[in-house]
Amino acid sequence: MPRFSIIVPSHGVAGRLSQALDSVLAQSYGDFELIPVCDAPGSPAADVADDHAGRDSRVAPVHSPPSAGLSGARNTGLRAATGAHVLFLDGDDTLAPGALAALDARLTETGDVDVLYFEHERTPWWEGEPTNPAAPLLAKTPAGAFSPAQAPQLTGVQLPAWSAAYRRAFLTDHQLTFPEGPFTDLGWGGLVTVAAERVAVLRSVVVRHLLRRQGSRLNLPGEHHHQLLDQVDMVLTRAAGSELSGALFEQLFAVVLKTASRPERLPSGHRAFFRRAGRLYRTHRPAGFRTPGGSLGVQHRLLASGAYSAFRALRGANRSASGAAERVPRPRMLRTRILYARALRRRLDPNLAVYCAYWGRGYACSPAAIHAKASQLAPQIRSVFLVEPDAVDAVPKGVEHAVIGSRKYWEVLARAKYLVNNANFAEGVVKRRGSVHVQTQHGTPLKKMGVDQSTYPVVAAATGSFAKLLGRVDRWDYNISSNRHSTQMWERAFPGSYEALEYGYPRNDVFYTATADDVARVRRELGVPEGKTAVLYAPTHRDYQTGFDTGLDLEAFCAAAGEDVVVLLRAHYFYDQGRAKSSGRIIDVTGHRSSEDVCLAADALVTDYSSIMFDYANLDRPIVVYADDWEVYRETRGVYFDLMEAPPGPVTRTPEELAQVFRDGSYAGAESKALRDQFRARFCEFDDGLAAERVVRRVFLGAPPEAIPPVIPLAERVPAPAATLVRS
């Protein structure tokens, strides 16, 4: 029997679960079993847990459906536990180094107490200065083991479930499980306190708890706050007549009064909540209970007497909160500000959708793919694409558009129910109640993104205000992902309350729907000579450089790679000047509207660290990585994984090595294919040609998740054919 069973629920935290599990497996004390509780086999968290289980036999994943909630997940873990003591860890928290050794030493010293409480750190989501709220509470307790009545100020009501180790036999003997519903920690802590006979404390940090940017879900407005009173009633009924009934009563009603004083948490039924709380107060008030002094004591007396109106007046609950729209910055120009404000007062148009790509650079990327599919499946939706003035001429015929900054632009933004973007809308755009914002992203993250850039000075300086960035994230309702790596990294980089749609990137649909004729047409449009091998060279932006440098002598590469090679040069869109700079065997396609067309035209891809490799991999054509400055890029930009350990094809570091793999044909050989297969299995997970349809059916047509077309298995997909047979 292991010394510790560590139970880790993981719903909604797949992006940080590996850190939680790694913090346990890295402990110097190794006598434990680790039980991740995942939604279902094949879920993002289950994949993480299974990977760890494959590497360490102490990891034993179990499954609990999301509908069972946190309490169901923990109870599932409890049923699977075999250790002498049980600990709980949230899936985005970590164990401090040496934590299990410290717990073992303290339990050896105190004997097998029923509960061992310990300190924890609460770390802000941006990794700011941590706090230790349990330390003052534990400091006032006896030095050794003691009965709960000896320290009535210490109860489980004031501490989360993951701030203690529990003797499993104690839990089993008293049939203790987590009560259903929200506020399960409060109910659990109260029940444990009533049942425990011997407890102790460890005055050192065991758990490092990550405070989510969104705050606790329990603090959000909703009817779930009424269930707080169910937990209070249950605990005080169980505690009736015990020595701790007075302490539990006072601590539980401190929580109740905190909720009652915040009417915004109860959109409806605030009076009913107050009245029921008053009845419970009168029912469970222990004999001889002394009302606290000061303002808190006044609140107690008003609650006991059911004086709802007086309580509201005392707490200032009748003040009206200003709406979110009033707190968001407005456009700067007075005339535009007035126009936008007027448009915001009009009702939303349920059949209006607004699209934008790359800050208005044109009709492109996933917003364009969704726009095209919506015109087929939801023709009742009026769709308007937002573009900069210099991109108007490139908008396809028949596509309604609005110039950014124009009167029409602000009017449609104010009234559209659906807003689709692959970047972000302007700072002054208001997230109206009832509107639906869809963030499509425009690539799979290799480099650090969002708030993960904060520790990289060069990048952070260019990013600007992270507070403003997160304000824009708060507008998102849906965030589209093409693979589970992206889902997890977006969760870290852009913390928010949006729903992840693992549907694939709509812009990549064309890689499975295009025909040989489409490929030939695009090659003619780009000027690729008949029969030539077109190599797409697409380097990414360097944050530590000014301006664009190809990083490679392309004419020399063509000469060394072979006479049948031509290069399609596509610089990062930051350097799109709208005019081609072609010469000789180099065809500049940087200004071409569609990166998807460029990929279709290419027989092979050469890139460094650009996210285009993840999209191009869908075509199952050769990819070569040219990594001449990987170490510098990794240190200055930050990356989510080591590309050199999991590349999509051969890795070259010098111009000579790059030319050689084309000259000898190894760029398209068996080893290259094997690397690409592994890469595609990981990063082409959801791209199958149906992504745009999934988005339109779910977002615009309101189809339930179970009615969305399932993802076609990778082995059954047929990518668009290449124009030229590559050498083997």
Side-chain angles (χ1 to χ4, degrees):
M1 178 173 64
R3 179 68 151 161
F4 299 108
S5 293
I6 305 166
I7 298 169
V8 188
S10 61
H11 179 66
V13 292
R16 293 185 179 271
L17 179 60
S18 60
Q19 294 178 340
L21 302 184
D22 289 343
S23 74
V24 178
L25 296 177
Q27 293 290 310
S28 58
Y29 184 91
D31 188 13
F32 62 81
E33 62 178 359
L34 177 56
I35 307 175
V37 186
C38 309
D39 292 347
S43 64
D47 290 345
V48 174
D50 290 344
D51 178 66
H52 283 73
R55 292 188 274 115
D56 196 309
S57 61
R58 294 172 297 179
V59 183
V62 296
H63 302 101
S64 176
S67 59
L70 177 60
S71 59
R74 286 175 172 167
N75 288 334
T76 297
L78 274 175
R79 290 191 293 270
T82 63
H85 292 82
V86 177
L87 285 83
F88 299 95
L89 189 68
D90 281 355
D92 50 0
D93 296 343
T94 57
L95 281 186
L100 294 185
L103 286 172
D104 175 69
R106 183 58 172 160
L107 288 169
T108 300
E109 181 182 350
T110 62
D112 286 334
V113 293
D114 297 329
V115 185
L116 176 63
Y117 295 104
F118 46 72
E119 296 177 5
H120 63 271
E121 285 183 350
R122 291 179 178 264
T123 304
W125 64 268
W126 65 90
E127 300 182 359
E129 191 67 27
T131 60
N132 187 342
L137 187 63
L138 303 188
K140 302 175 183 178
T141 58
F146 56 92
S147 71
Q150 291 178 265
Q153 79 281 0
L154 174 63
T155 74
V157 167
Q158 297 172 299
L159 296 169
W162 42 259
S163 64
Y166 308 89
R167 187 166 59 88
R168 190 168 63 86
F170 156 71
L171 301 179
T172 302
D173 292 344
H174 291 274
Q175 299 181 342
L176 289 171
T177 59
F178 284 85
E180 293 183 1
F183 305 100
T184 185
D185 275 25
L186 185 143
W188 165 267
L191 295 177
V192 166
T193 296
V194 173
E197 296 179 3
R198 294 180 71 248
V199 301
V201 301
L202 171 62
R203 297 187 181 95
S204 63
V205 171
V206 171
V207 172
R208 290 175 174 166
H209 174 66
L210 178 72
L211 293 172
R212 298 175 183 175
R213 174 175 174 260
Q214 307 93 301
S216 171
R217 297 184 182 95
L218 297 179
N219 294 334
L220 296 174
E223 298 303 313
H224 65 278
H225 288 283
H226 290 279
Q227 297 180 54
L228 165 64
L229 301 180
D230 296 336
Q231 303 284 356
V232 170
D233 189 18
M234 176 190 64
V235 171
L236 292 180
T237 298
R238 188 77 62 89
S242 74
E243 293 181 281
L244 291 170
S245 61
L248 286 169
F249 179 87
E250 183 172 1
Q251 293 171 18
L252 286 166
F253 273 96
V255 179
V256 171
L257 287 169
K258 185 176 181 179
T259 299
S261 65
R262 289 171 169 79
E264 67 275 7
R265 293 186 180 179
L266 289 158
S268 62
H270 186 256
R271 183 186 294 272
F273 177 92
F274 186 87
R275 286 179 173 173
R276 186 187 174 203
R279 290 194 297 271
L280 291 177
Y281 189 99
R282 295 186 291 272
T283 299
H284 292 294
R285 179 173 179 170
F289 176 75
R290 296 181 60 182
T291 302
S295 176
L296 183 58
V298 175
Q299 294 179 55
H300 272 258
R301 288 190 287 273
L302 292 175
L303 183 62
S305 62
Y308 177 69
S309 298
F311 183 86
R312 288 189 64 195
L314 174 69
R315 300 300 300 171
N318 57 348
R319 63 184 181 275
S320 58
S322 58
E326 296 301 321
R327 296 193 296 269
V328 177
R330 288 289 190 269
R332 293 182 180 179
M333 300 302 292
L334 177 60
R335 185 174 179 180
T336 304
R337 187 163 62 244
I338 295 173
L339 169 67
Y340 188 48
R342 287 177 178 172
L344 286 171
R345 290 197 291 270
R346 300 172 63 189
R347 71 176 183 85
L348 282 177
D349 185 338
N351 290 318
L352 176 60
V354 170
Y355 302 80
C356 191
Y358 299 115
W359 302 276
R361 283 188 171 91
Y363 185 82
C365 200
S366 289
I370 297 172
H371 174 278
K373 185 59 66 174
S375 66
Q376 299 174 16
L377 301 180
Q380 74 278 11
I381 301 292
R382 174 194 172 197
S383 297
V384 181
F385 224 94
L386 308 180
V387 293
E388 290 286 357
D390 58 0
V392 169
D393 292 341
V395 176
K397 292 182 179 180
V399 174
E400 183 180 356
H401 68 275
V403 175
I404 291 178
S406 67
R407 180 187 186 94
K408 180 179 179 180
Y409 166 83
W410 287 109
E411 286 180 342
V412 295
L413 277 177
R415 300 200 58 212
K417 178 178 176 64
Y418 306 102
L419 297 97
V420 182
N421 206 326
N422 74 346
N424 265 304
F425 287 100
E427 198 70 42
V429 173
V430 172
K431 173 69 166 85
R432 294 185 64 179
R433 183 184 297 274
S435 65
V436 178
H437 286 238
V438 180
Q439 170 59 249
T440 73
Q441 301 295 345
H442 53 273
T444 290
L446 166 61
K447 59 190 177 186
K448 291 292 181 72
M449 302 293 291
V451 298
D452 285 341
Q453 299 172 345
S454 61
T455 54
Y456 294 86
V458 174
V459 186
T463 300
S465 169
F466 286 104
K468 290 183 178 180
L469 168 67
L470 293 170
R472 296 189 289 270
V473 170
D474 285 340
R475 298 190 299 222
W476 303 355
D477 293 289
Y478 298 107
N479 186 34
I480 298 177
S481 172
S482 61
N483 48 66
R484 285 177 179 166
H485 163 79
S486 294
T487 303
Q488 296 172 20
M489 297 310 104
W490 296 144
E491 179 185 313
R492 289 177 43 179
F494 303 114
S497 56
Y498 52 81
E499 178 183 349
L501 297 182
E502 294 183 321
Y503 288 173
Y505 282 150
R507 72 178 185 183
N508 291 343
D509 285 352
V510 69
F511 296 148
Y512 296 97
T513 61
T515 66
D517 289 342
D518 294 324
V519 173
R521 172 185 52 79
V522 173
R523 287 170 68 93
R524 286 195 301 270
E525 292 175 356
L526 296 179
V528 178
E530 187 74 24
K532 295 294 185 180
T533 298
V535 176
L536 172 60
Y537 178 56
T540 193
H541 168 66
R542 301 296 198 278
D543 297 274
Y544 54 87
Q545 290 181 348
T546 301
F548 174 66
D549 180 358
T550 62
L552 186 67
D553 185 334
L554 297 179
E555 292 287 359
F557 165 74
C558 287
E563 62 182 16
D564 63 333
V565 171
V566 297
V567 170
L568 303 176
L569 170 62
R570 189 168 181 85
H572 190 276
Y573 58 79
F574 285 177
Y575 308 108
D576 176 11
Q577 303 299 318
R579 58 185 183 276
K581 301 176 183 178
S582 304
S583 63
R585 291 160 66 182
I586 314 303
I587 304 172
D588 190 340
V589 295
T590 302
H592 189 75
R593 175 182 62 84
S594 171
S595 64
E596 295 77 53
D597 280 357
V598 172
C599 288
L600 285 173
D603 299 297
L605 168 69
V606 174
T607 186
D608 40 25
Y609 327 117
S610 170
S611 66
I612 199 172
M613 73 179 79
F614 301 97
D615 304 309
Y616 191 82
N618 283 283
L619 290 168
D620 197 17
R621 301 177 190 174
I623 302 174
V624 179
V625 176
Y626 180 58
D628 62 330
D629 63 344
W630 169 248
E631 288 74 19
V632 175
Y633 185 87
R634 181 178 57 189
E635 292 302 317
T636 56
R637 187 60 172 84
V639 295
Y640 286 114
F641 67 94
D642 189 346
L643 181 64
M644 302 303 105
E645 295 296 324
V651 175
T652 60
R653 292 183 176 270
T654 67
E656 292 75 21
E657 290 178 0
L658 178 62
Q660 180 62 34
V661 298
F662 279 90
R663 193 163 52 244
D664 63 22
S666 60
Y667 80 101
E671 184 176 347
S672 174
K673 180 67 164 64
L675 291 171
R676 188 165 71 252
D677 287 346
Q678 295 176 16
F679 191 84
R680 295 182 75 229
R682 181 179 180 187
F683 296 112
C684 299
E685 194 171 3
F686 306 129
D687 289 329
D688 63 354
L690 298 175
E693 178 179 347
R694 293 188 187 97
V695 174
V696 172
R697 292 193 183 281
R698 176 70 185 280
V699 177
F700 292 83
L701 300 179
E706 60 271 16
I708 302 301
V711 174
I712 299 172
L714 186 63
E716 298 176 16
R717 303 175 204 166
V718 180
T724 303
L725 290 176
V726 296
R727 292 173 294 181
S728 176

